[in-house]
Amino acid sequence: VSMGASCAMLVELVIDENGFVKRVNIISENEDAYYFRESIRTVLLAMPKFSPAVSNNRYIESRILVPVQFILN
């Protein structure tokens, strides 16, 4: 991967009923993003606690889509 390469991914985060990232699923990515999969997955799994989703006054597992983009300088 060369300098100036751009990374673009669409990532699904599964948030557990306590607000922590339980799983990271890569939905789509460009060619250069392949090299950064594990790094991005590690960073997203270490995200701070989210406010969990609520249904019928109970905390539930939920999913969110997060676009990830960066350029190597």
Side-chain angles (χ1 to χ4, degrees):
V1 177
S2 61
M3 296 303 275
S6 65
C7 172
M9 295 179 152
L10 182 60
V11 180
E12 176 190 57
L13 301 182
V14 178
I15 310 300
D16 70 15
E17 54 278 337
N18 296 309
F20 293 101
V21 177
K22 178 178 175 180
R23 193 169 51 251
V24 176
N25 300 318
I26 297 171
I27 304 300
S28 65
E29 63 187 358
N30 69 354
E31 186 176 313
D32 289 334
Y34 172 81
Y35 300 102
F36 302 100
R37 278 180 162 194
E38 286 308 309
S39 298
I40 290 170
R41 182 173 279 127
T42 300
V43 168
L44 293 174
L45 283 170
M47 293 282 294
K49 184 177 176 179
F50 286 80
S51 296
V54 178
S55 178
N56 295 324
N57 293 322
R58 293 184 47 187
Y59 295 119
I60 60 168
E61 184 177 281
S62 61
R63 301 168 193 281
I64 59 172
L65 293 177
V66 178
V68 176
Q69 297 180 327
F70 62 89
I71 297 174
L72 292 179
N73 288 324

